[in-house]
Amino acid sequence: MIHLVLGGARSGKSRYGEALVRQYTALGFDACYVATAQALDDEMATRIAKHQAGRTDDGIEWQLFEESLALAALLKRLAKPGRVILVDCLTLWLTNQLLASSAKIDDEPAPTEWNATDFIPSASSISNDEALANWQAEKTAFVDSLAELEGVVVLISNEVGSGIVPLGELSRQFVDEAGWLNQAVAALADNVTLVVAGLPLALKPL
């Protein structure tokens, strides 16, 4: 069973996803937390630390896995009946994939939910066509793998397309690809929930 949870920055989407996991652990499921973030700067390291601290007293006995790129392979290895997996989040996984595909980064910020408009790719980038082809292959493999997963998988992702259009080329690409990724996952997900101001709105099933 796939449950996609969407929301903007500080919408409460992660907290809602953890609440879903708690419902399954109450039924005897074991729980895995898959973190996709990378601490590329001090600000991001602080955010990660806050998330980690919040999980210490949430009542869930997490098994923690950190994976920034090979998400499909990890989920295939972890998924099984009687287990619930929380992935937080698809947006940062997308960021990691775009950076790995398109640029050699020298202390440049990654396009994330909080600084997507600030990213400028380095001059050492491979061609945009190659980068997009690499990403499309990774996305297809990931989306195709979801239908094969056993147990329960809760996927957290950012809804980044509701604001202003970013100025930078890669930032616009990031917003576009995030929207298309969310659409692809939502199409096959059993449940889709949009979280706004901490309140969940069921989008699928209606």
Side-chain angles (χ1 to χ4, degrees):
M1 199 279 284
I2 304 297
H3 193 144
L4 175 63
V5 179
L6 301 167
R10 295 295 176 265
S11 61
K13 60 188 181 298
S14 293
R15 185 179 299 109
Y16 178 74
E18 291 167 8
L20 292 175
V21 171
R22 196 172 294 109
Q23 294 176 15
Y24 286 98
T25 57
L27 298 175
F29 283 54
D30 65 60
C32 295
Y33 189 103
V34 177
T36 61
Q38 299 184 86
L40 298 178
D41 54 37
D42 291 341
E43 190 268 350
M44 189 60 185
T46 299
R47 287 175 176 268
I48 292 174
K50 287 181 178 179
H51 273 271
Q52 292 172 336
R55 294 197 300 273
T56 59
D57 58 356
D58 62 5
I60 301 174
E61 295 184 10
W62 294 105
Q63 301 175 62
L64 174 64
F65 298 86
E66 297 180 349
E67 181 52 65
S68 60
L69 292 171
L71 185 56
L74 178 61
L75 292 180
K76 287 181 180 180
R77 179 163 62 88
L78 294 179
K80 66 178 185 179
R83 170 171 287 172
V84 55
I85 303 171
L86 177 67
V87 178
D88 197 359
C89 64
L90 293 185
T91 320
L92 286 172
W93 174 65
L94 166 62
T95 296
N96 299 334
Q97 289 289 344
L98 291 179
L99 296 184
S101 296
S102 67
K104 297 176 182 178
I105 303 303
D106 297 313
D107 298 324
E108 295 185 59
T112 65
E113 64 182 273
W114 51 90
N115 65 7
T117 60
D118 298 330
F119 183 81
I120 302 174
S122 69
S124 58
S125 300
I126 65 175
S127 75
N128 191 53
D129 287 345
E130 289 179 280
L132 284 177
N134 291 341
W135 159 241
Q136 292 301 330
E138 290 290 340
K139 182 177 77 171
T140 298
F142 172 73
V143 173
D144 288 348
S145 73
L146 293 180
E148 304 171 3
L149 300 180
E150 297 183 294
V152 178
V153 180
V154 179
L155 302 168
I156 309 298
S157 191
N158 293 285
E159 177 50 67
V160 298
S162 299
I164 61 174
V165 177
L167 294 177
E169 178 183 355
L170 185 56
S171 296
R172 289 194 298 272
Q173 178 184 326
F174 168 77
V175 172
D176 288 345
E177 294 299 337
W180 288 323
L181 174 62
N182 288 342
Q183 288 187 53
V185 175
L188 59 83
D190 301 282
N191 294 344
V192 180
T193 302
L194 175 65
V195 181
V196 180
L199 301 175
L201 174 64
L203 302 181
K204 182 183 180 181
L206 294 176

